[in-house]
Short mmCIF file of all heavy atoms in Angstrom, two decimals:
data_model
loop_
_atom_site.label_atom_id
_atom_site.label_comp_id
_atom_site.label_asym_id
_atom_site.label_seq_id
_atom_site.Cartn_x
_atom_site.Cartn_y
_atom_site.Cartn_z
N ALA A 50 -3.59 5.26 10.74
CA ALA A 50 -4.34 6.46 10.33
C ALA A 50 -3.87 7.71 11.07
O ALA A 50 -3.76 8.79 10.48
CB ALA A 50 -5.83 6.23 10.56
N LYS A 51 -3.58 7.58 12.35
CA LYS A 51 -3.20 8.75 13.15
C LYS A 51 -1.91 9.37 12.62
O LYS A 51 -1.79 10.60 12.54
CB LYS A 51 -3.04 8.35 14.62
CG LYS A 51 -2.72 9.52 15.53
CD LYS A 51 -2.63 9.08 16.98
CE LYS A 51 -2.31 10.27 17.88
NZ LYS A 51 -2.19 9.84 19.31
N ASP A 52 -0.95 8.54 12.26
CA ASP A 52 0.32 9.05 11.77
C ASP A 52 0.21 9.67 10.38
O ASP A 52 1.05 10.48 9.99
CB ASP A 52 1.37 7.93 11.75
CG ASP A 52 1.76 7.48 13.15
OD1 ASP A 52 1.66 8.30 14.09
OD2 ASP A 52 2.15 6.31 13.31
N LEU A 53 -0.82 9.28 9.64
CA LEU A 53 -1.00 9.80 8.29
C LEU A 53 -1.84 11.07 8.25
O LEU A 53 -1.87 11.76 7.23
CB LEU A 53 -1.65 8.73 7.40
CG LEU A 53 -0.79 7.50 7.08
CD1 LEU A 53 -1.59 6.48 6.31
CD2 LEU A 53 0.45 7.90 6.30
N LYS A 54 -2.50 11.38 9.35
CA LYS A 54 -3.35 12.56 9.38
C LYS A 54 -2.51 13.82 9.35
O LYS A 54 -1.48 13.92 10.00
CB LYS A 54 -4.23 12.56 10.63
CG LYS A 54 -5.21 13.73 10.69
CD LYS A 54 -6.09 13.67 11.92
CE LYS A 54 -7.06 14.84 11.96
NZ LYS A 54 -7.93 14.81 13.16
N ARG A 55 -2.96 14.79 8.57
CA ARG A 55 -2.26 16.06 8.46
C ARG A 55 -3.29 17.18 8.53
O ARG A 55 -4.24 17.22 7.74
CB ARG A 55 -1.49 16.14 7.14
CG ARG A 55 -0.70 17.42 6.94
CD ARG A 55 -0.10 17.46 5.55
NE ARG A 55 0.84 16.37 5.35
CZ ARG A 55 1.15 15.89 4.15
NH1 ARG A 55 0.57 16.37 3.07
NH2 ARG A 55 2.03 14.91 4.03
N ASP A 56 -3.12 18.09 9.47
CA ASP A 56 -4.04 19.22 9.61
C ASP A 56 -3.72 20.28 8.56
O ASP A 56 -2.56 20.54 8.27
CB ASP A 56 -3.94 19.82 11.00
CG ASP A 56 -4.45 18.89 12.10
OD1 ASP A 56 -5.40 18.13 11.81
OD2 ASP A 56 -3.90 18.91 13.21
N PRO A 57 -4.75 20.92 8.02
CA PRO A 57 -4.49 21.99 7.04
C PRO A 57 -3.89 23.20 7.74
O PRO A 57 -4.15 23.45 8.92
CB PRO A 57 -5.89 22.30 6.49
CG PRO A 57 -6.83 21.90 7.60
CD PRO A 57 -6.19 20.72 8.27
N LYS A 58 -3.10 23.94 7.01
CA LYS A 58 -2.47 25.15 7.56
C LYS A 58 -2.41 26.21 6.47
O LYS A 58 -1.99 25.94 5.35
CB LYS A 58 -1.07 24.83 8.07
CG LYS A 58 -0.39 26.00 8.77
CD LYS A 58 0.99 25.61 9.30
CE LYS A 58 1.66 26.78 10.01
NZ LYS A 58 3.01 26.41 10.50
N ASP A 59 -2.84 27.42 6.84
CA ASP A 59 -2.83 28.52 5.88
C ASP A 59 -1.40 28.91 5.50
O ASP A 59 -0.46 28.77 6.29
CB ASP A 59 -3.52 29.75 6.47
CG ASP A 59 -5.03 29.58 6.55
OD1 ASP A 59 -5.60 28.91 5.67
OD2 ASP A 59 -5.64 30.13 7.49
N ALA A 60 -1.27 29.41 4.29
CA ALA A 60 0.01 29.96 3.85
C ALA A 60 0.28 31.27 4.59
O ALA A 60 -0.63 31.89 5.14
CB ALA A 60 -0.01 30.20 2.35
N ARG A 61 1.55 31.67 4.61
CA ARG A 61 1.93 32.98 5.13
C ARG A 61 2.54 33.79 3.98
O ARG A 61 3.17 33.23 3.08
CB ARG A 61 2.92 32.86 6.28
CG ARG A 61 2.30 32.31 7.56
CD ARG A 61 3.23 32.55 8.75
NE ARG A 61 2.67 32.05 9.99
CZ ARG A 61 3.13 32.37 11.20
NH1 ARG A 61 4.17 33.19 11.32
NH2 ARG A 61 2.57 31.89 12.28
N TYR A 62 2.36 35.11 4.07
CA TYR A 62 2.75 35.96 2.96
C TYR A 62 3.53 37.20 3.41
O TYR A 62 3.51 37.59 4.57
CB TYR A 62 1.50 36.45 2.20
CG TYR A 62 0.46 35.41 1.93
CD1 TYR A 62 -0.61 35.22 2.80
CD2 TYR A 62 0.51 34.62 0.79
CE1 TYR A 62 -1.58 34.27 2.55
CE2 TYR A 62 -0.47 33.67 0.52
CZ TYR A 62 -1.51 33.50 1.41
OH TYR A 62 -2.47 32.56 1.16
N MET A 63 4.17 37.80 2.41
CA MET A 63 4.69 39.16 2.51
C MET A 63 4.03 39.95 1.38
O MET A 63 3.78 39.40 0.29
CB MET A 63 6.21 39.18 2.33
CG MET A 63 7.00 38.78 3.56
SD MET A 63 7.19 40.14 4.72
CE MET A 63 8.35 41.20 3.83
N PHE A 64 3.78 41.23 1.64
CA PHE A 64 3.21 42.07 0.58
C PHE A 64 4.36 42.66 -0.22
O PHE A 64 5.27 43.29 0.32
CB PHE A 64 2.37 43.19 1.18
CG PHE A 64 1.64 44.00 0.15
CD1 PHE A 64 0.50 43.51 -0.45
CD2 PHE A 64 2.11 45.25 -0.23
CE1 PHE A 64 -0.17 44.24 -1.42
CE2 PHE A 64 1.45 46.00 -1.19
CZ PHE A 64 0.30 45.50 -1.79
N ASN A 65 4.34 42.41 -1.52
CA ASN A 65 5.38 42.91 -2.41
C ASN A 65 4.99 44.31 -2.88
O ASN A 65 4.05 44.48 -3.65
CB ASN A 65 5.53 41.96 -3.62
CG ASN A 65 6.73 42.29 -4.46
OD1 ASN A 65 7.01 43.46 -4.75
ND2 ASN A 65 7.44 41.26 -4.89
#
Side-chain angles (χ1 to χ4, degrees):
K51 183 178 180 181
D52 291 333
L53 292 175
K54 183 178 180 180
R55 181 186 297 156
D56 292 326
K58 185 178 181 181
D59 287 327
R61 289 195 180 195
Y62 315 94
M63 281 278 289
F64 186 77
N65 189 317

